[in-house]
Amino acid sequence: MKKNSKAAIVEAAITLFNINGFNGTSTRDIANKANVNVANISYHFQNKHGLLEYCFTTYYEAYLNEIENGFLYLHEGATLCLKKITENILNYQSKNIHLTRFILREMSIDSQVVREIMSTYLLKERFYFKKVFEEGMARKEFRSFSINYMIIQLKGLLTMPFLNTHYITEVLHVFPYERYFTEKYVKEIYNWIDGVIRNESSERVPTLVK
Amino acid sequence: MKKNSKAAIVEAAITLFNINGFNGTSTRDIANKANVNVANISYHFQNKHGLLEYCFTTYYEAYLNEIENGFLYLHEGATLCLKKITENILNYQSKNIHLTRFILREMSIDSQVVREIMSTYLLKERFYFKKVFEEGMARKEFRSFSINYMIIQLKGLLTMPFLNTHYITEVLHVFPYERYFTEKYVKEIYNWIDGVIRNESSERVPTLVK
């Protein structure tokens, strides 16, 4: 039963954090929603901050895993590799849509946890993106561009619909909870990769060489 | 002095909201930081929620104004118009960098204020983007694409560096507070417009017609 209560606590916490924010949620609220004792939360996570840290690290461990799985395709070409990575990220975020929204919002705050996450996980994320971009430029698959500014664009595109689910539902009538959303959005990112990142002549280069 | 204390309250509130979140900030905290009485806050804004609403409406009134100023260029071409609008938005966000960060984070929460802002200001914003996109497609300046999905991309690109100022500073070493940032980022968005939105043959079309 121990494991179930842990999962129930995490699920209740994510729901409440998304509604009332981290500061607006008490350990007691979480315990009530998860149908457990406050002592149970202390046992698993010490306190609310421990719970927050747990959410962050489990999220970013799995997130980096998705990037690493895509990164394995680098020898088959930088474009293919970047597409794999973005597809993996979008699928992962889509499968964890509530947690993703909460994490993305928390990441915009300047806190101790956020700084730690940045200096471990997001630096690694940057490392992979940079490698792919550099490889793509070296092979002339990609145009020459500023890597950091391109990461800003890429991360903006990857996160927007998951952070702003209400906006895209209410204003744009696009429903991120529906299955076809991710499929369609993956294609949008592919178009961005082809239109902004890829060298227009990159298709012809391998043919000429062969 | 009335006007000064109002401005001081707003400034103090934005700073505290950015550090501690809206729920983590009390009216007393704001009064202390702004060096005014709590009664002063009540006088101008009734309560914390009134203050929040004031921030939102003044922000989005001016924001929409920037879009409308860009929209006036539509008769000179959809590409030019879209570039004017995005440049205006980026400059506006850059001039109000702290408030922008707070507003963008709050907008990801499902609250009464947010719903009201969406149904007034963000529906109007969508109206203008849609008009520009439709005009661009009608004139074959733009490719044919899904307008709502393109608004997701555009808004993702416009907001990312302003919401995630810590990330881009700490991880990417890009400094959104520096003046050249906006100049450079405007060019990035222009590249996106040229690579993703514009019809590749659109330059040639007017020449052939003439």
Side-chain angles (χ1 to χ4, degrees), chain B residues 16-61:
Chain B
L16 292 171
F17 290 163
N18 265 330
I19 299 168
N20 307 316
F22 178 73
N23 285 317
T25 304
S26 70
T27 315
R28 186 160 300 279
D29 297 336
I30 300 168
N32 285 343
K33 187 155 185 86
N35 229 340
V36 301
N37 282 319
V38 173
N40 221 314
I41 300 186
S42 316
Y43 171 76
H44 288 298
F45 308 101
Q46 278 206 310
N47 51 34
K48 204 173 64 160
H49 285 273
L51 180 49
L52 182 70
E53 223 172 283
Y54 175 84
C55 288
F56 268 109
T57 48
T58 46
Y59 181 84
Y60 277 109
E61 286 287 345

Side-chain angles (χ1 to χ4, degrees), chain A residues 6 13 18 20-21 40 49 55 59 86 89 100 114 120 123 129 131-133 142 152 174 177-179 196 200 203 210:
Chain A
K6 196 173 176 181
N18 265 330
N20 307 317
N40 219 314
H49 285 273
C55 288
Y59 182 85
T86 52
I89 290 177
T100 300
V114 167
T120 50
L123 269 179
F129 284 148
K131 275 275 174 216
V132 178
F133 286 162
F142 293 171
I152 293 179
V174 170
Y177 295 94
E178 285 179 6
R179 217 189 123 201
V196 175
E200 273 159 55
E203 214 104 15
K210 275 172 196 165

